[in-house]
Amino acid sequence: MKKLITKLYKNQSFIYKLLLHILTTVLVVYLFPKGGKFQYEFQKGKPWQYETLVAPFDFPIAKTAKELEEEKTLRTANAKTYYEYNSEVVTRVKNNYDKQFNQLFSIDSLIDTGGFNSLKRKTSQLLDNFYRSGIIAVVDESKSNKLVELIENNEDKGAVSYDRFIKLNNLREYIKKFAEREGLENYETLIYNLFFEILDPNVAINQEHTNSVLAQELSGISPVHGNVQKNIRIIAKGEVVEGQKLKQLNSLKKEYESQVWNKSNYNWIVFGYIILVALALMMLLLFIRKYRPEIYENNNKVTFIFMNIVFMIVLTTLVVKYDSNYVYIVPLCILPLILKAFFDARLGLFAHVLTVLLLGFIVPNSSEYIFLQIIAGIVTILTVSELYKRANLFISVGQITLIYIVAYFAFYITHEGGIKFSEVFSRNESGSLHVIWIYFMQFMLCGLATLFVQPLIYIYEKMFGLVSDVSLLELSDTNSKLLKRLANEAPGTFHHSLQVANLAEAAASEIGANTMLVRVGALYHDIGKMTNPTFFIENQATSVNPHDELAPDESAKTIIDHVLDGIEIAKSNKLPDRIIDFIRTHHGTSTVYYFYQKAKELDEDVAIEKFQYPGPIPFSKETAILMMADSVEAASKSLKEPTSQKIDQFVERIIDKQMEAQQFMNADITLKEIVTIKKVLKKKLNNIYHLRIEYPE
């Protein structure tokens, strides 16, 4: 049991990566669409590239979204409208009729009683006719000359003409015609006042019943028209995918994907997806292990890479589920931008390509999508440099957006077989923008969303303790609080750090290392000397040397402690770990040789370990460059009457001695690169110590 625990402990890093790989695979497969993958890719207007396709099973031909919408519009336009007859209103109005009539008319105002009774009889008949036809208050001109359904006492009375209804707003016209017909012109105003007072609408639209019937009509729309029988030929090789063939292929794809997922081979489909996703993620891990071992050994960085890939897949999946037409709004180029900012361009592009391949299982038109996104990713890697310069990011985002638009425009031309500018630059039949302009707008929104990479980088730096070029630029400011303190408390060390930074930056640029990182590391590598500045010769303004009062081992300890002091100062000032690495490694495991020799003069058996720096030795190109530049710059101060030959021999001797001490064995640096660094350091030192002509006094 103890051996097992020990073995697990030794392999905990590998076990973590294995669990991360499994968890990511499961999560990505879970996000995949719940259906099988149709094995054929086809496009409208393009020839069928496969062998003749016959129907593998019976399936219906699905109507297109446009056809369904047209049928809904037609049924809505022809839908029946239901009006309800209210008999209670009629009873109430007729009861009120006698009272109102007697108030407006009197026997004295008429010639005789017979005239009074005749007028009352005629107006009563008019009232009956009005309510027999039905009175409505709200007029709908669209129903003119059309039939509507009439309901009375919850019983459908059948269809009636809408024009038969009496419209209250036309009451004066009805009364005028009545008075002229009956010879009652003298009483027209009184009759109008009578009916104006007593009439109430007794017919109104029954919106609830109308909507219910319409809903039933719309639910009865069939989503299919016709069927394709098994073994019937759908399309032959070389035939153009269009018209009925396109409908049948789309229907087969939809039916196939839904049927496959619901059958017994569900588990096999999931198993297939797991293999594909696991292979893709394994390729990423193998790439990191082979070409980026320093990242592979850091579980935090591996987790960061996998998390960003999953984040992009989740974001794309959410958009596809909402509406797949908006898939290009997702700023996928943020992924290579972030990975390039924290690591390098090669890893960023590799991860981007694998992510796009995985998204091909989720998005529609996968071949078109994959091409566009890979091209955009390549442009991102090629154009984005020095991300800390805001102008560069805006220019790069503009170039990425342009590439999206140009590439999609090329696809549009190939799909449509040409372009008619008169159509593209006008509205379509529904009055909305053409599809090509909708996608162009999506690409522009995608470009704007890509600008969010700046705050996202800042968030990631705080979450994962990573360092980007933006943070390095801030740290390189010599007016920062810590560097100002170094300049005030240890001015000689500050000047030395600036010189080392210039040397190291030039060397890093020559071999393709991270120049910004090595410069910042050089600026902060000796901040530990602020604890005891006068114990270092560059800060001794007088001839007094405090080491004269100390034993050699005590002096050596004070010198060596500047590394540990520097680490403590860096942590208290919240410097990133990547910068602290330069403080740890800039002396490696080298020896404080001067005091070791003095100690040997006093005691031949003195232990060398007391005079060695604790390490570790450099483990990257950048930390190795700093060790070389630091040693060369510090030792160059001891050169008397420097000449070009002396400088060359001096640089060779110091760096060769470091190589013999195996200080660079863990650094990913080649012998060729070390030779190049030597040349740069020689050239720079020659420029610093070049002899000036002697001016006359």
Side-chain angles (χ1 to χ4, degrees), residues 389-449:
K389 296 181 180 178
R390 290 172 293 180
N392 287 358
L393 180 61
F394 280 97
I395 293 169
S396 297
V397 166
Q399 292 172 332
I400 294 165
T401 304
L402 180 63
I403 288 296
Y404 269 129
I405 291 174
V406 171
Y408 180 79
F409 183 69
F411 272 112
Y412 177 82
I413 293 173
T414 58
H415 291 169
E416 300 297 326
I419 183 170
K420 295 180 180 178
F421 290 96
S422 59
E423 294 181 2
V424 170
F425 290 100
S426 63
R427 299 270 175 169
N428 59 23
E429 294 177 358
S430 63
S432 59
L433 292 171
H434 278 275
V435 173
I436 188 170
W437 290 109
I438 293 173
Y439 276 102
F440 284 179
M441 291 172 66
Q442 286 189 41
F443 295 138
M444 293 177 188
L445 289 173
C446 176
L448 291 174

Coordinates of all heavy atoms in Angstrom, one line a residue, residues 389-449:
K389 N 0.6 47.2 -27.4 CA 0.4 48.5 -28.2 C -1.1 48.4 -28.7 O -1.4 47.6 -29.5 CB 1.3 48.6 -29.3 CG 2.8 48.8 -28.9 CD 3.7 49.0 -30.1 CE 5.2 49.1 -29.6 NZ 6.1 49.3 -30.8
R390 N -1.9 49.3 -28.2 CA -3.3 49.3 -28.5 C -3.6 49.4 -30.0 O -4.5 48.7 -30.5 CB -4.1 50.3 -27.7 CG -4.2 50.1 -26.2 CD -4.7 51.3 -25.5 NE -3.8 52.4 -25.5 CZ -4.1 53.6 -25.0 NH1 -5.2 53.8 -24.3 NH2 -3.2 54.6 -25.1
A391 N -2.8 50.2 -30.7 CA -3.1 50.4 -32.1 C -2.9 49.1 -32.8 O -3.6 48.8 -33.8 CB -2.1 51.5 -32.6
N392 N -1.9 48.3 -32.4 CA -1.7 47.0 -33.1 C -2.9 46.1 -33.0 O -3.3 45.4 -34.0 CB -0.5 46.3 -32.5 CG 0.8 47.0 -32.9 OD1 0.8 47.9 -33.6 ND2 1.9 46.5 -32.3
L393 N -3.6 46.1 -31.9 CA -4.7 45.2 -31.7 C -5.9 45.7 -32.6 O -6.5 44.9 -33.3 CB -5.2 45.2 -30.2 CG -6.4 44.4 -29.9 CD1 -6.2 42.9 -30.3 CD2 -6.8 44.5 -28.5
F394 N -6.1 47.0 -32.7 CA -7.2 47.5 -33.5 C -6.9 47.2 -35.0 O -7.8 46.8 -35.8 CB -7.3 49.0 -33.3 CG -8.1 49.4 -32.1 CD1 -7.5 49.7 -30.9 CD2 -9.5 49.4 -32.1 CE1 -8.2 50.1 -29.8 CE2 -10.2 49.7 -31.0 CZ -9.6 50.1 -29.8
I395 N -5.7 47.4 -35.4 CA -5.3 47.1 -36.8 C -5.5 45.6 -37.1 O -6.0 45.3 -38.2 CB -3.8 47.5 -37.1 CG1 -3.7 49.1 -37.0 CG2 -3.4 47.0 -38.4 CD1 -2.3 49.6 -37.0
S396 N -5.1 44.8 -36.2 CA -5.2 43.3 -36.4 C -6.6 42.9 -36.5 O -7.0 42.1 -37.3 CB -4.4 42.6 -35.3 OG -3.1 42.8 -35.4
V397 N -7.5 43.4 -35.6 CA -8.9 43.1 -35.6 C -9.5 43.5 -36.9 O -10.4 42.8 -37.5 CB -9.6 43.8 -34.4 CG1 -11.1 43.7 -34.6 CG2 -9.2 43.1 -33.1
G398 N -9.1 44.7 -37.4 CA -9.6 45.1 -38.7 C -9.2 44.2 -39.8 O -10.1 43.9 -40.7
Q399 N -8.0 43.7 -39.8 CA -7.5 42.7 -40.8 C -8.3 41.4 -40.7 O -8.7 40.8 -41.7 CB -6.0 42.5 -40.7 CG -5.2 43.8 -41.0 CD -3.7 43.6 -40.7 OE1 -3.4 42.9 -39.8 NE2 -2.9 44.3 -41.4
I400 N -8.5 41.0 -39.5 CA -9.3 39.7 -39.3 C -10.7 39.8 -39.8 O -11.2 38.9 -40.5 CB -9.3 39.3 -37.8 CG1 -7.9 39.0 -37.3 CG2 -10.2 38.2 -37.5 CD1 -7.7 39.0 -35.8
T401 N -11.3 41.0 -39.5 CA -12.7 41.2 -40.0 C -12.7 41.2 -41.5 O -13.6 40.6 -42.2 CB -13.3 42.5 -39.4 OG1 -13.2 42.5 -38.0 CG2 -14.7 42.7 -39.9
L402 N -11.8 41.9 -42.1 CA -11.7 41.9 -43.6 C -11.5 40.5 -44.2 O -12.2 40.2 -45.2 CB -10.5 42.8 -44.0 CG -10.3 43.0 -45.5 CD1 -11.5 43.7 -46.2 CD2 -9.1 43.8 -45.8
I403 N -10.7 39.7 -43.6 CA -10.5 38.4 -44.1 C -11.8 37.5 -44.0 O -12.1 36.8 -44.9 CB -9.3 37.7 -43.3 CG1 -8.0 38.3 -43.7 CG2 -9.3 36.2 -43.6 CD1 -7.6 38.1 -45.2
Y404 N -12.5 37.7 -42.9 CA -13.8 37.0 -42.8 C -14.7 37.4 -43.9 O -15.3 36.6 -44.6 CB -14.5 37.4 -41.4 CG -14.2 36.5 -40.3 CD1 -13.7 37.1 -39.1 CD2 -14.4 35.2 -40.3 CE1 -13.4 36.3 -38.0 CE2 -14.1 34.4 -39.2 CZ -13.6 34.9 -38.0 OH -13.4 34.1 -37.0
I405 N -14.8 38.7 -44.2 CA -15.7 39.2 -45.2 C -15.3 38.8 -46.6 O -16.2 38.3 -47.3 CB -15.8 40.8 -45.1 CG1 -16.5 41.2 -43.8 CG2 -16.5 41.3 -46.3 CD1 -16.5 42.7 -43.6
V406 N -14.1 38.9 -46.9 CA -13.6 38.4 -48.2 C -13.8 36.9 -48.4 O -14.3 36.5 -49.5 CB -12.1 38.8 -48.4 CG1 -11.5 38.2 -49.7 CG2 -11.9 40.3 -48.4
A407 N -13.5 36.1 -47.4 CA -13.6 34.7 -47.6 C -15.1 34.3 -47.7 O -15.4 33.4 -48.5 CB -13.0 34.0 -46.4
Y408 N -15.9 34.9 -46.9 CA -17.4 34.6 -47.0 C -17.9 35.0 -48.3 O -18.8 34.3 -48.9 CB -18.2 35.2 -45.8 CG -19.6 34.9 -45.9 CD1 -20.1 33.6 -45.4 CD2 -20.6 35.7 -46.5 CE1 -21.4 33.3 -45.5 CE2 -21.9 35.4 -46.6 CZ -22.3 34.2 -46.1 OH -23.6 33.8 -46.2
F409 N -17.5 36.2 -48.8 CA -18.0 36.7 -50.1 C -17.6 35.7 -51.2 O -18.4 35.4 -52.1 CB -17.3 38.0 -50.4 CG -17.8 38.7 -51.7 CD1 -19.1 39.1 -51.8 CD2 -16.9 38.8 -52.7 CE1 -19.6 39.7 -53.0 CE2 -17.4 39.4 -53.9 CZ -18.7 39.8 -54.0
A410 N -16.4 35.1 -51.1 CA -16.0 34.1 -52.1 C -16.9 32.8 -52.0 O -17.3 32.3 -53.0 CB -14.5 33.7 -51.8
F411 N -17.2 32.4 -50.8 CA -18.2 31.3 -50.6 C -19.5 31.6 -51.2 O -20.2 30.8 -51.9 CB -18.3 30.9 -49.2 CG -17.3 29.9 -48.7 CD1 -16.3 30.3 -47.8 CD2 -17.3 28.6 -49.1 CE1 -15.4 29.4 -47.3 CE2 -16.4 27.7 -48.7 CZ -15.4 28.1 -47.8
Y412 N -20.0 32.9 -51.0 CA -21.3 33.3 -51.5 C -21.3 33.2 -53.0 O -22.3 32.8 -53.6 CB -21.5 34.7 -51.0 CG -22.8 35.3 -51.6 CD1 -24.0 35.0 -51.0 CD2 -22.8 36.2 -52.7 CE1 -25.2 35.6 -51.4 CE2 -24.0 36.7 -53.2 CZ -25.2 36.4 -52.6 OH -26.4 36.9 -53.1
I413 N -20.2 33.7 -53.7 CA -20.2 33.6 -55.1 C -20.2 32.2 -55.6 O -20.9 31.8 -56.6 CB -18.9 34.3 -55.6 CG1 -18.9 35.8 -55.3 CG2 -18.7 34.1 -57.1 CD1 -17.7 36.6 -55.7
T414 N -19.5 31.3 -55.0 CA -19.4 29.9 -55.4 C -20.8 29.2 -55.2 O -21.2 28.3 -56.0 CB -18.4 29.1 -54.7 OG1 -18.6 29.2 -53.3 CG2 -17.0 29.6 -55.0
H415 N -21.5 29.6 -54.1 CA -22.8 29.0 -53.9 C -23.9 29.5 -54.9 O -24.7 28.7 -55.4 CB -23.3 29.3 -52.5 CG -22.5 28.7 -51.4 ND1 -22.6 29.0 -50.1 CD2 -21.5 27.7 -51.5 CE1 -21.7 28.3 -49.4 NE2 -21.1 27.5 -50.2
E416 N -23.8 30.8 -55.2 CA -24.9 31.3 -56.0 C -24.5 31.3 -57.5 O -25.3 31.6 -58.3 CB -25.1 32.8 -55.6 CG -25.6 33.0 -54.2 CD -26.9 32.3 -53.9 OE1 -27.8 32.3 -54.9 OE2 -27.1 31.8 -52.8
G417 N -23.2 31.0 -57.8 CA -22.8 30.9 -59.2 C -22.6 32.3 -59.8 O -22.7 32.4 -61.0
G418 N -22.4 33.3 -59.0 CA -22.2 34.6 -59.5 C -22.9 35.6 -58.5 O -23.3 35.2 -57.4
I419 N -22.9 36.9 -58.9 CA -23.5 37.9 -58.1 C -24.2 39.0 -58.9 O -23.6 39.4 -59.9 CB -22.4 38.5 -57.2 CG1 -23.0 39.5 -56.2 CG2 -21.3 39.1 -58.0 CD1 -22.1 40.0 -55.1
K420 N -25.4 39.3 -58.5 CA -26.1 40.4 -59.1 C -26.1 41.6 -58.2 O -26.8 41.6 -57.2 CB -27.5 40.0 -59.5 CG -27.6 38.9 -60.5 CD -29.0 38.5 -60.8 CE -29.1 37.3 -61.8 NZ -30.5 36.9 -62.1
F421 N -25.3 42.6 -58.5 CA -25.2 43.7 -57.6 C -26.5 44.5 -57.4 O -26.7 45.0 -56.3 CB -24.1 44.7 -58.1 CG -22.7 44.1 -58.1 CD1 -22.2 43.5 -59.2 CD2 -22.0 44.2 -56.9 CE1 -20.9 43.0 -59.1 CE2 -20.7 43.7 -56.8 CZ -20.2 43.1 -57.9
S422 N -27.4 44.5 -58.4 CA -28.6 45.2 -58.2 C -29.5 44.5 -57.2 O -30.3 45.2 -56.5 CB -29.4 45.2 -59.6 OG -29.6 43.9 -60.0
E423 N -29.3 43.2 -57.0 CA -30.1 42.5 -56.0 C -29.5 42.6 -54.6 O -30.1 42.8 -53.6 CB -30.3 41.0 -56.3 CG -31.1 40.8 -57.6 CD -31.2 39.3 -57.9 OE1 -30.7 38.5 -57.2 OE2 -31.9 39.0 -59.0
V424 N -28.1 42.5 -54.6 CA -27.4 42.5 -53.3 C -27.6 43.8 -52.6 O -27.7 43.9 -51.4 CB -25.9 42.1 -53.5 CG1 -25.1 42.4 -52.2 CG2 -25.8 40.7 -54.0
F425 N -27.5 44.9 -53.4 CA -27.6 46.2 -52.8 C -29.0 46.7 -52.6 O -29.2 47.9 -52.5 CB -26.8 47.2 -53.6 CG -25.3 46.9 -53.5 CD1 -24.6 46.3 -54.5 CD2 -24.6 47.3 -52.4 CE1 -23.3 46.0 -54.4 CE2 -23.2 47.1 -52.3 CZ -22.6 46.4 -53.3
S426 N -30.0 45.9 -52.7 CA -31.4 46.2 -52.4 C -31.9 45.3 -51.3 O -31.3 44.4 -50.9 CB -32.2 46.1 -53.7 OG -32.2 44.7 -54.1
R427 N -33.2 45.6 -50.9 CA -33.8 44.8 -49.9 C -34.4 43.6 -50.5 O -34.7 43.5 -51.7 CB -34.9 45.6 -49.2 CG -34.4 46.9 -48.5 CD -34.1 46.5 -47.1 NE -33.5 47.7 -46.4 CZ -33.3 47.8 -45.1 NH1 -33.6 46.7 -44.4 NH2 -32.8 48.8 -44.6
N428 N -34.5 42.5 -49.8 CA -35.2 41.3 -50.3 C -36.7 41.4 -50.2 O -37.2 42.5 -49.9 CB -34.7 40.0 -49.5 CG -35.0 40.1 -48.1 OD1 -35.9 40.8 -47.6 ND2 -34.2 39.4 -47.3
E429 N -37.4 40.4 -50.6 CA -38.9 40.4 -50.7 C -39.5 40.8 -49.4 O -40.6 41.5 -49.4 CB -39.4 39.1 -51.2 CG -39.0 38.7 -52.6 CD -39.4 37.3 -53.0 OE1 -40.1 36.7 -52.2 OE2 -39.2 37.0 -54.1
S430 N -39.0 40.4 -48.3 CA -39.6 40.7 -47.0 C -39.2 42.1 -46.5 O -39.7 42.5 -45.4 CB -39.2 39.7 -45.9 OG -37.8 39.7 -45.7
G431 N -38.4 42.8 -47.2 CA -38.0 44.1 -46.8 C -36.8 44.2 -45.9 O -36.4 45.2 -45.5
S432 N -36.2 43.0 -45.6 CA -35.0 43.0 -44.7 C -33.8 42.9 -45.5 O -33.8 42.8 -46.8 CB -35.1 41.8 -43.8 OG -35.2 40.6 -44.5
L433 N -32.6 43.0 -44.8 CA -31.3 43.0 -45.5 C -31.1 41.6 -46.1 O -31.6 40.6 -45.6 CB -30.2 43.3 -44.6 CG -30.2 44.7 -44.0 CD1 -29.1 44.8 -42.9 CD2 -29.8 45.7 -45.2
H434 N -30.3 41.5 -47.2 CA -30.0 40.2 -47.8 C -29.0 39.5 -46.9 O -28.4 40.1 -46.0 CB -29.3 40.5 -49.2 CG -30.3 40.7 -50.3 ND1 -30.8 39.7 -51.0 CD2 -30.8 41.8 -50.8 CE1 -31.7 40.1 -51.9 NE2 -31.6 41.5 -51.8
V435 N -29.0 38.2 -47.0 CA -28.2 37.3 -46.1 C -26.8 37.7 -46.1 O -26.1 37.7 -45.0 CB -28.3 35.8 -46.6 CG1 -27.4 35.0 -45.8 CG2 -29.8 35.4 -46.5
I436 N -26.2 38.1 -47.2 CA -24.8 38.4 -47.3 C -24.5 39.6 -46.4 O -23.4 39.6 -45.7 CB -24.3 38.7 -48.8 CG1 -22.8 38.9 -48.8 CG2 -25.0 39.9 -49.3 CD1 -22.3 38.9 -50.2
W437 N -25.4 40.6 -46.3 CA -25.1 41.8 -45.5 C -25.3 41.4 -44.0 O -24.6 42.0 -43.1 CB -26.1 42.9 -45.9 CG -25.7 43.5 -47.2 CD1 -26.4 43.4 -48.4 CD2 -24.6 44.3 -47.5 NE1 -25.8 44.0 -49.4 CE2 -24.6 44.6 -48.9 CE3 -23.5 44.7 -46.8 CZ2 -23.6 45.3 -49.5 CZ3 -22.5 45.5 -47.4 CH2 -22.6 45.8 -48.7
I438 N -26.2 40.5 -43.7 CA -26.4 40.0 -42.3 C -25.1 39.4 -41.8 O -24.7 39.6 -40.7 CB -27.6 39.1 -42.2 CG1 -28.9 39.8 -42.6 CG2 -27.7 38.4 -40.9 CD1 -30.1 38.9 -42.7
Y439 N -24.5 38.6 -42.7 CA -23.2 37.9 -42.2 C -22.1 38.9 -42.1 O -21.2 38.8 -41.3 CB -22.9 36.8 -43.2 CG -23.6 35.5 -42.9 CD1 -24.7 35.1 -43.6 CD2 -23.1 34.7 -41.9 CE1 -25.3 33.9 -43.3 CE2 -23.8 33.5 -41.5 CZ -24.9 33.1 -42.3 OH -25.5 32.0 -42.0
F440 N -22.1 39.9 -43.0 CA -21.0 41.0 -43.0 C -21.2 41.7 -41.6 O -20.1 42.0 -41.0 CB -21.2 41.9 -44.1 CG -20.7 41.4 -45.4 CD1 -20.8 42.2 -46.6 CD2 -20.1 40.2 -45.5 CE1 -20.3 41.7 -47.8 CE2 -19.7 39.7 -46.7 CZ -19.7 40.4 -47.9
M441 N -22.4 42.0 -41.2 CA -22.6 42.6 -39.9 C -22.2 41.8 -38.8 O -21.6 42.2 -37.8 CB -24.1 43.0 -39.8 CG -24.5 44.1 -40.7 SD -26.3 44.4 -40.7 CE -26.5 45.0 -39.0
Q442 N -22.4 40.4 -38.9 CA -21.9 39.5 -37.8 C -20.4 39.5 -37.7 O -19.9 39.5 -36.6 CB -22.4 38.1 -38.2 CG -23.9 37.8 -37.9 CD -24.2 36.4 -38.1 OE1 -23.5 35.5 -37.6 NE2 -25.3 36.1 -38.7
F443 N -19.7 39.6 -38.9 CA -18.2 39.6 -38.8 C -17.7 40.9 -38.2 O -16.7 40.8 -37.4 CB -17.7 39.5 -40.2 CG -18.0 38.2 -40.9 CD1 -18.4 38.1 -42.3 CD2 -17.9 37.0 -40.2 CE1 -18.7 36.9 -42.9 CE2 -18.2 35.7 -40.8 CZ -18.6 35.7 -42.1
M444 N -18.4 42.0 -38.4 CA -18.0 43.2 -37.8 C -18.2 43.2 -36.2 O -17.4 43.6 -35.5 CB -18.8 44.4 -38.4 CG -18.5 44.7 -39.8 SD -19.5 46.0 -40.5 CE -19.0 45.9 -42.2
L445 N -19.4 42.6 -35.8 CA -19.6 42.4 -34.4 C -18.6 41.5 -33.8 O -18.2 41.7 -32.6 CB -21.1 41.9 -34.2 CG -22.2 42.9 -34.5 CD1 -23.5 42.1 -34.4 CD2 -22.2 44.0 -33.5
C446 N -18.2 40.4 -34.5 CA -17.2 39.5 -34.1 C -15.9 40.2 -33.8 O -15.2 40.0 -32.9 CB -17.0 38.4 -35.1 SG -15.7 37.2 -34.7
G447 N -15.5 41.1 -34.8 CA -14.3 41.9 -34.6 C -14.3 42.8 -33.4 O -13.4 42.9 -32.7
L448 N -15.5 43.4 -33.2 CA -15.6 44.3 -32.0 C -15.5 43.4 -30.7 O -14.9 43.9 -29.7 CB -16.9 45.0 -32.0 CG -17.1 46.1 -33.1 CD1 -18.5 46.7 -33.1 CD2 -16.1 47.2 -32.9
A449 N -16.1 42.3 -30.7 CA -16.1 41.4 -29.5 C -14.6 40.9 -29.3 O -14.2 40.7 -28.1 CB -17.0 40.2 -29.7

